[in-house]
Structures are given as C-alpha cells and as structure tokens.
C-alpha cells in the first residue's frame, strides 16, 4: 500500500484491471499503456487521489468511464486513455476542452491561438477522452432505471438489476448502463437501493 510508482506498460498483459488497484492510494504514477487489457475501468480507480500521471493508452478497455475518474482528474498532470473501446457518454470532467483565448471570436480553437496546456503535452485537446473505437458501443435511448426496457420503472426492473449484478442472466451494455441509477459509473447494490426508493416514492 506504500507503492508510489507502477509501470506495467509495453507488455502483453491481458485481462482486466483489478479493483484492488484502488487500495494503492499512495500511487503517484500509474502506467498500463500498450497492453491488451479488457473490460471496464474500475470505479475504485477514483481512490487514487495522489496520482499525477495516469496512462491507460492503447488497450482494449470497454464500457463506460466511471464518474469516479473525476475525483482524480483535477490532480493528474498527464492523463492518457486514448485508443481504447470506451463508450459514451463520457464524464463531463473529461469532455470539457482545454481553455483557450478565442482571438477571432468564432467559438473554436484555431491554430496559433493561446491555450492552457492542462496536461502539458504541447497539443491542444478538445477533450481528454481522445480516440475511442465506439463501433461496438450500443446506442442506449432508454430511461435510467428501466432496465428491462419495457417503458415502466417497477419491481421487474429491480429483479432484472439484481440478476445482472449477480450475473445470473445475460444482459446488454445498454441494460448495464440503465442499471447505473446513481450514475457513478458502476452497477452495484447502491443502484438497486436507489431504484427501490425511487419506486416507493412514485
């Protein structure tokens, strides 16, 4: 737990990033780039509040980016998650463009206009998500909480949500997204509790 520097980049690592990574709260530097990591970014990564460098660049990470990433984003000087398969919607903290001086008042950054290079990479970036292959991302038009997508939020959605969490049924990315009722980037019992409260209140 006292580890401050972890560089596992440029290997052939497979599998998922373990949730236990969130226990390494003294980490300053974390690099997993250029591997073959899959699955989603664990919600627990938001516990790494001392990070100044985070690179998950060029893997095969999927799913949504957890909102918890915003807990560490403001402290991280070097933040690279491009070239994965991460699906929108992305957390607001990652899609706000770097501040710039709009000298010609056209509302967009133009070559040569001054900007704040917040991640110090000498490149103006409109967002910090970068290129993502979203071809496998499922368009999800449903309402949060309507997990079985029948147009009604009721006890059947709770049952479906619990089965998804326990992985006793097969489910789509869209259903997983609709289960994230508290919008924290992960699907767990807290979503079910909030869903129950919502149903009882309505």
């Amino acid at each position: 737990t006292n580890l401050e520097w972890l560089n596992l980049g440029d290997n052939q690592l497979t599998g998922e990033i373990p949730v236990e990574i969130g226990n390494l709260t003294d980490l300053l530097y974390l690099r997993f780039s250029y591997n073959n990591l899959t699955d989603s970014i664990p919600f627990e990564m938001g516990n790494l509040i001392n990070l100044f460098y985070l690179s998950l660049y060029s893997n095969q990470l999927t799913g949504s980016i957890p909102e918890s990433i915003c807990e560490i984003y403001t402290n991280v000087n070097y933040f690279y998650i491009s070239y994965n398969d991460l699906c929108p919607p992305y957390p607001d903290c990652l899609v706000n463009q770097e501040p710039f001086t709009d000298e010609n008042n056209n509302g967009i950054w133009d070559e040569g206009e001054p900007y704040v290079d917040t991640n110090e990479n000498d490149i103006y970036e409109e967002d910090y998500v970068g290129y993502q292959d979203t071809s496998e991302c499922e368009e999800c038009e449903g309402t949060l909480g309507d997990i079985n997508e029948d147009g009604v939020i009721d006890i059947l959605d709770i049952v479906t949500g619990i089965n998804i969490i326990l992985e006793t049924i097969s489910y789509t990315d869209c259903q997983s997204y609709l289960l994230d009722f508290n919008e924290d980037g992960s699907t767990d019992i807290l979503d079910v509790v909030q869903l129950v409260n919502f149903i009882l209140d309505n």
Side-chain angles (χ1 to χ4, degrees), residues 70-83:
C70 293
E71 299 296 322
I72 62 172
Y73 166 72
T74 53
N75 298 327
V76 176
N77 292 329
Y78 301 91
F79 185 89
Y80 306 104
I81 60 171
S82 299
Y83 292 93

Side-chain angles (χ1 to χ4, degrees), residues 162-191:
I162 291 171
N163 282 315
I164 288 173
I165 292 168
L166 296 175
E167 298 184 346
T168 56
I169 61 171
S170 60
Y171 56 92
T172 65
D173 288 341
C174 186
Q175 286 179 304
S176 180
Y177 168 77
L178 296 174
L179 174 56
D180 186 15
F181 199 65
N182 62 7
E183 299 182 88
D184 66 356
S186 65
T187 54
D188 53 32
I189 193 66
L190 296 177
D191 296 298

Side-chain angles (χ1 to χ4, degrees), residues 17-27 30 42-49:
I17 300 171
V19 296
E20 290 82 3
I21 197 78
N23 297 333
L24 305 179
T25 54
D26 286 340
L27 270 184
L30 177 59
F43 174 79
E44 291 77 5
M45 195 166 281
N47 297 339
L48 307 180
I49 57 173

Side-chain angles (χ1 to χ4, degrees), residues 130-195:
Y131 172 78
Q132 301 293 330
D133 180 356
T134 59
S135 61
E136 296 298 316
C137 294
E138 190 174 335
E139 287 290 328
C140 192
E141 302 286 330
T143 303
L144 280 180
D146 184 16
I147 303 161
N148 63 4
E149 302 178 88
D150 65 355
V152 180
I153 299 175
D154 56 18
I155 189 70
L156 296 176
D157 295 298
I158 294 171
V159 172
T160 304
I162 291 171
N163 282 315
I164 288 173
I165 292 168
L166 296 175
E167 298 184 346
T168 56
I169 61 171
S170 60
Y171 56 92
T172 65
D173 288 341
C174 186
Q175 286 179 304
S176 180
Y177 168 77
L178 296 174
L179 174 56
D180 186 15
F181 199 65
N182 62 7
E183 299 182 88
D184 66 356
S186 65
T187 54
D188 53 32
I189 193 66
L190 296 177
D191 296 298
V192 174
V193 170
Q194 284 200 2
L195 190 54

